[in-house]
Amino acid sequence: MVNDQRPAPRPNGFGSAAEPYTAAEPYTAAAPRPDARHDPAPSQEAPVEFSFVSPQGVTHRVRATFGPDRPRLVRPPALARPVRFEDGWQGFQVRLPREAGADREAYALLQAEITAALALHRAYAGTRFGGLFPTPVGYDVNTLTPFVLYAVPRGRPLSGPAERVSLAEQRAVERDLVLAVRLMEAVGLVHRGIVPGAVRRDAQGVQVWDLGSVVRAGCPRVPYGIPPYASPEQRAGVGTTEARDALWSVAQLMYHLVTGRPGSPDGPPADLAAQRSVAETLGPVFARQAADRPTPDALLRTLVPEIAAEAAGALLPDPMERHRREFDEIRRRKRASFAPPPPPAHTPYVPAQEPPGLPNGHGADGPPGYGEAPPFTGYEYPVRERGRLRTWISGGRTSGTNEPGGSRSEGDTRR
């Protein structure tokens, strides 16, 4: 008998990380795979050639079958659809549709999502914290429909009191979200979009999505997000981004999860004292100023000291971080050099003003005023996307779809 001195495996309290793609022998219909009952809804499309670059930089070329789009799984204008390879592996593809290819902001958000997903995967893959984040499998931004490929997401979006969370479940969600903010802070990232639609939960724990809303800590804030989930300073676009912005979002999400209604966008909710389960642990996080909120590390040590200590052991410095920052700066300067030159200066054409009272004129009062445009919030998309965006943010359902890992369809509203 071999004397194995390795420690016994510890239970994973933060959800298991999905297995990344590894090439396998193709299977046939005569020999179905054991996990066939969990497959996404079958697609009527024939397999097509499909290629992607893995997180290790290896190009894979496979034949794949894609399912129907499930738009409310991700923030518009991005779309998500299930994908299955001929060797049996299955996952989800988050992509920009071709009509959104000219949207520079949407393209930049997808690039930010890929960067954040790879950074978190390199830092925590193989640890017990890896399941808190999506598992990236591949990506390609040099196509008409740029995309990132993930393993199948876990659970369902948080959607308020209909989930009927117990106090123990509330504490588990709270712990996981604060831990996710702390782990992202350790690699220099801040999540600006923690909303009900971006947080998924199952019996194993929480998984934080919408990595396109992630930016580097210390960068200047720009107006981004919607109240009450975005902090006041984030919506105003003042100062520099820090992890305590994300803690505000966590507190607002927990208040919504417990009460079923949004909190105050500018400070503690009026009835916070009555919500003791939230006030006892997250009361200071509702402070209007980021400087008055606790740091993620201090809050995590208050909630679960043993997990805070274990997380500190996993936060090893990345020896390549300095080189990655230098590469990002060189790439930024290179892209700036490719920017088109400004148009030549010219004198603008000013139409002649018609005398007041003339036919077809506006009269002495002039044309009607339209007021100033509303401030940019970071979620400005065409009007046709507005309903989908609001539904996704609030953890809405998609009618007639079945998600992997869930027992009910997105359109099932039974409680």
Side-chain angles (χ1 to χ4, degrees):
M1 177 180 296
V2 178
N3 185 12
D4 191 350
Q5 299 296 331
R6 293 174 298 176
R10 299 183 59 184
N12 188 352
F14 310 105
S16 57
E19 290 296 330
Y21 170 73
T22 54
E25 292 297 328
Y27 70 97
T28 62
R33 297 175 62 88
D35 57 353
R37 61 184 181 278
H38 299 300
D39 291 348
S43 172
Q44 301 299 323
E45 298 181 3
V48 297
E49 294 292 337
F50 179 65
S51 66
F52 60 90
V53 180
S54 72
Q56 294 75 30
V58 178
T59 300
H60 292 267
R61 291 180 175 84
V62 298
R63 291 183 61 82
T65 303
F66 296 95
D69 285 328
R70 299 180 182 176
R72 290 181 184 145
L73 291 180
V74 292
R75 177 169 40 83
L79 298 173
R81 60 180 177 177
V83 56
R84 179 167 182 164
F85 298 165
E86 281 194 334
D87 60 16
W89 184 89
Q90 55 188 341
F92 260 74
Q93 182 195 45
V94 176
R95 78 189 197 284
L96 289 180
R98 183 169 300 188
E99 55 269 20
D103 188 339
R104 289 190 176 183
E105 182 182 354
Y107 186 81
L109 290 177
L110 182 65
Q111 283 192 315
E113 177 167 357
I114 295 173
T115 301
L118 294 178
L120 293 169
H121 181 71
R122 294 188 184 109
Y124 303 115
T127 72
R128 65 187 302 236
F129 306 121
L132 289 168
F133 308 105
T135 301
V137 171
Y139 61 93
D140 193 347
V141 295
N142 298 317
T143 68
L144 295 178
T145 57
F147 66 88
V148 56
L149 191 65
Y150 292 111
V152 175
R154 296 198 338 261
R156 302 171 63 84
L158 295 179
S159 56
E163 300 291 338
R164 294 191 181 96
V165 294
S166 64
L167 181 60
E169 291 173 328
Q170 177 187 337
R171 290 289 179 254
V173 173
E174 183 179 77
R175 173 206 66 191
D176 287 1
L177 289 177
V178 175
L179 177 60
V181 172
R182 173 70 181 104
L183 294 174
M184 296 183 78
E185 179 193 35
V187 293
L189 301 177
V190 177
H191 201 309
R192 303 177 299 167
I194 297 179
V195 298
V199 178
R200 305 178 69 87
R201 183 177 72 92
D202 62 3
Q204 295 181 320
V206 158
Q207 195 173 56
V208 181
W209 283 72
D210 187 25
L211 300 183
S213 295
V214 173
V215 296
R216 285 194 176 276
C219 68
R221 291 191 183 101
V222 295
Y224 191 91
I226 65 170
Y229 303 107
S231 63
E233 61 272 16
Q234 182 65 66
R235 300 197 312 272
V238 296
T240 57
T241 304
E242 60 171 291
R244 287 179 286 190
D245 298 347
L247 282 187
W248 167 280
S249 304
V250 170
Q252 293 289 344
L253 181 59
M254 294 306 302
Y255 178 84
H256 175 76
L257 180 66
V258 172
T259 65
R261 57 182 181 273
S264 170
D266 299 316
D271 64 339
L272 180 61
Q275 309 299 330
R276 296 181 56 186
S277 64
V278 179
E280 289 176 356
T281 55
L282 299 177
V285 184
F286 288 96
R288 178 177 176 82
Q289 301 294 330
D292 298 330
R293 301 172 203 143
T295 63
D297 181 56
L299 182 59
L300 190 62
R301 291 182 184 277
T302 301
L303 298 178
V304 277
E306 66 282 1
I307 293 177
E310 184 178 353
L315 306 180
L316 300 177
D318 184 359
M320 299 298 293
E321 179 62 22
R322 179 175 63 87
H323 303 289
R324 291 193 179 97
R325 289 181 179 273
E326 292 176 356
F327 175 79
D328 290 342
E329 178 61 21
I330 293 173
R331 184 172 60 176
R332 184 193 64 78
R333 293 199 302 265
K334 181 178 179 182
R335 288 179 177 174
S337 68
F338 292 158
H346 65 282
T347 302
Y349 169 73
V350 180
Q353 300 293 327
E354 295 184 5
L358 291 179
N360 300 326
H362 296 289
D365 295 334
Y370 293 97
E372 296 182 356
F376 178 72
T377 66
Y379 287 110
E380 299 298 334
Y381 293 105
V383 176
R384 67 179 185 277
E385 304 286 0
R386 179 71 62 179
R388 284 172 44 199
L389 176 60
R390 293 284 178 177
T391 303
W392 178 83
I393 287 174
S394 61
R397 306 285 195 249
T398 301
S399 178
T401 60
N402 294 309
E403 292 189 47
S407 58
R408 295 184 297 172
S409 67
E410 289 284 355
D412 192 347
T413 57
R414 294 176 294 177
R415 306 299 180 209

